[in-house]
Amino acid sequence: MIADATQLRVLLQNLVSNALKFRRADHPCQIVITAGAHGHGWDIAVVDNGRGIPPQDRQRVMDLFTRVHPDVEGSGIGLATCQRIAAAHGGALRLEETPGGGTTAVLTLPTHTTPN
């Protein structure tokens, strides 16, 4: 896989930062990062037990300047940046509900790619 290491670092840092930022005050913060090969690519998941993102907002929150939790500081550019980096590498980013509460961000990347 040929990839831009700096861009992928920014993507993963944003996902971990979001997991920390949107933790729940009544639970210890838990973040699990996994990676696994499949078919012609890789899935990298950042799983947290935080506040979560309502299903109706999961796609919208990846639009620039869109925020779901206005009570938490932020600019609304983190997930939009992540999505653009994933796309530049021929991949995709999707958000899912973590069983028991929280968000799972799954980055899917092809095995062979050249970043745009």
Side-chain angles (χ1 to χ4, degrees), residues 81-99:
T81 299
C82 291
Q83 183 180 33
R84 286 181 173 86
I85 292 170
H89 286 80
L93 178 66
R94 71 180 183 278
L95 303 174
E96 303 172 350
E97 181 177 354
T98 300

Side-chain angles (χ1 to χ4, degrees), residues 8 12 15 33-36 42-46 93 105-109:
L8 292 179
L12 291 170
L15 295 179
I33 301 171
T34 62
W42 285 84
D43 281 342
I44 301 168
V46 178
L93 178 66
V106 181
L107 170 64
T108 300
L109 294 172

Side-chain angles (χ1 to χ4, degrees), residues 45-96:
V46 178
V47 182
D48 70 56
N49 66 339
R51 297 169 76 174
I53 300 170
Q56 68 273 15
D57 293 325
R58 289 188 193 133
Q59 188 58 44
R60 182 181 71 82
V61 77
M62 287 198 250
D63 294 338
L64 202 55
F65 305 118
T66 301
R67 300 178 58 220
V68 175
H69 300 289
D71 59 318
V72 177
E73 277 193 47
S75 61
I77 64 171
L79 288 174
T81 299
C82 291
Q83 183 180 33
R84 286 181 173 86
I85 292 170
H89 286 80
L93 178 66
R94 71 180 183 278
L95 303 174
E96 303 172 350

